[in-house]
Amino acid sequence: MSDKPQQYYDPYQLIREVGFLLSQNGLDVKDFPEEGKVADALSGACRLLQAYGVTPGMDIRDTFDRRLPPHW
């Protein structure tokens, strides 16, 4: 068993950073994946983080902010 502390990274942040990196390399991409593609992007981001030994996770406040309807 490793004595290293578990590492966490926000998969939504990874999605935003990948989009930025792609646009910086000359590709025409949106700021965030299209409606209906977010689940695919999130799944891919989580799998990539796990492949590096990083646990997908986010600040609990951000989690609640994403679940509340916009009018709240």
Side-chain angles (χ1 to χ4, degrees):
M1 185 170 176
S2 174
D3 57 348
K4 283 189 344 184
Q6 193 165 7
Q7 300 180 92
Y8 295 90
Y9 198 82
D10 181 350
Y12 288 101
Q13 180 64 29
L14 180 59
I15 293 168
R16 286 188 291 273
E17 290 172 355
V18 167
F20 177 76
L21 179 64
L22 292 172
S23 67
Q24 290 297 306
N25 283 289
L27 297 172
D28 183 22
V29 297
K30 298 183 183 320
D31 290 336
F32 206 73
E34 301 175 358
E35 191 72 30
K37 297 288 186 179
V38 175
D40 291 339
L42 183 60
S43 174
C46 289
R47 292 187 68 198
L48 180 61
L49 288 169
Q50 290 168 343
Y52 280 106
V54 176
T55 302
M58 58 194 327
D59 187 288
I60 191 69
R61 292 170 295 203
D62 292 339
T63 303
F64 285 121
D65 286 346
R66 282 196 174 87
R67 291 174 183 242
L68 292 176
H71 63 276
W72 283 31

